Amino acid sequence: DAGVIQSPRHEVTEMGQEVTLRCKPISGHNSLFWYRQTMMRGLELLIYFNNNVPIDDSGMPEDRFSAKMPNASFSTLKIQPSEPRDSAVYFCASSLAGRGSYNEQFFGPGTRLTVL
Amino acid sequence: EDKVVQSPLSLVVHEGDTVTLNCSYEVTNFRSLLWYKQEKKAPTFLFMLTSSGIEKKSGRLSSILDKKELFSILNITATQTGDSAVYLCAVLNYGGATNKLIFGTGTLLAVQP
């Protein structure tokens, strides 16, 4: 298995532009997580999906951020409009969640976003 | 508010030294505590601890959880330069529909030859 795939790996954009980050989870996994990592705040959960349904989006910073999971093999995180403070590494992770159990989350390589 | 605090923030040691990394937490619906190692890319899983007092061991790494005092330690013996990384502690907040990891900011470990 190729693991969790994220694209692009690096993104540089100007303030005000729309940014779309993409994630393909590991085949067969039913939970998908979007994280943001910065030096100041560490690794923060933004949103997670279970069986393509958003379960908890309390970590999404504001309305400029939105995430979708149209099917089991694809998810997007969109920032519109982007701001310099959105600069961070964005990780996607997936797991096979069982009822009453926790299974390891596998992280993708991340997308390093720089907003100028 | 749920929080996970790691200490020290950074650490520089020489090869062969033993290090202890600390993680304390205040999290509702605590289920487990996890340790990850992050080198240049994504975090990779090391341990998951659910019960107090039971040491988990993998080679030169070991970890233990104290659910009464709400902390965990990660020990690395006979450190090597390849151990240089950020070590992340995360607590699993698990209850009802919630199943999410709350991460600390990490400890940056640098092992010098």
Side-chain angles (χ1 to χ4, degrees):
Chain A
D1 197 316
V4 176
I5 298 172
Q6 290 187 247
S7 65
R9 296 292 305 278
H10 301 273
E11 176 83 20
V12 180
T13 191
E14 291 186 342
M15 183 173 65
Q17 296 298 305
E18 177 180 297
V19 174
T20 300
L21 311 182
R22 297 172 176 81
C23 176
K24 177 177 167 53
I26 292 172
S27 178
H29 281 188
N30 58 0
S31 291
L32 183 141
F33 306 80
W34 281 103
Y35 291 91
R36 177 173 67 176
Q37 187 174 37
T38 61
M39 289 290 292
M40 291 298 294
R41 299 176 65 88
L43 199 60
E44 303 173 282
L45 177 68
L46 300 177
I47 185 172
Y48 80 91
F49 295 83
N50 197 34
N51 294 320
N52 311 339
V53 176
I55 301 299
D56 186 340
D57 65 354
S58 59
M60 295 286 262
E62 48 198 273
D63 291 345
R64 298 184 298 106
F65 285 68
S66 62
K68 293 182 180 179
M69 191 164 186
N71 57 63
S73 59
F74 183 65
S75 177
T76 59
L77 178 68
K78 186 176 292 187
I79 309 172
Q80 165 64 9
S82 58
E83 296 181 3
R85 60 191 168 123
D86 302 330
S87 298
V89 180
Y90 291 81
F91 286 103
C92 175
S94 72
S95 73
L96 179 60
R99 194 172 183 82
S101 67
Y102 171 79
N103 291 313
E104 180 184 347
Q105 293 182 22
F106 293 84
F107 284 78
T111 295
R112 181 174 295 277
L113 173 66
T114 303
V115 183
L116 302 174
Chain B
E1 183 182 343
D2 293 340
K3 62 180 179 180
V4 177
V5 179
Q6 292 186 245
S7 64
L9 291 180
S10 63
L11 193 56
V12 181
V13 300
H14 292 283
E15 274 192 313
D17 289 350
T18 293
V19 298
T20 298
L21 310 183
N22 304 292
C23 176
S24 63
Y25 61 91
E26 292 179 28
V27 175
T28 56
N29 299 317
F30 173 89
R31 180 67 173 259
S32 301
L33 185 144
L34 294 86
W35 284 96
Y36 286 82
K37 178 182 181 182
Q38 185 176 24
E39 295 176 86
K40 292 186 178 178
K41 298 182 179 178
T44 54
F45 174 78
L46 293 174
F47 297 111
M48 184 167 79
L49 304 152
T50 303
S51 302
S52 274
I54 298 174
E55 185 183 54
K56 291 267 181 112
K57 199 169 172 64
S58 175
R60 296 176 293 103
L61 278 65
S62 63
S63 184
I64 198 161
L65 173 67
D66 185 329
K67 290 168 71 174
K68 182 179 177 184
E69 300 297 329
L70 308 183
F71 80 91
S72 173
I73 59 172
L74 175 68
N75 280 321
I76 309 175
T77 59
T79 52
Q80 302 172 357
T81 54
D83 296 327
S84 297
V86 174
Y87 290 84
L88 296 168
C89 171
V91 171
L92 178 62
N93 181 327
Y94 188 92
T98 299
N99 173 16
K100 60 183 183 182
L101 291 176
I102 301 165
F103 282 86
T105 52
T107 293
L108 174 61
L109 174 65
V111 181
Q112 295 181 340

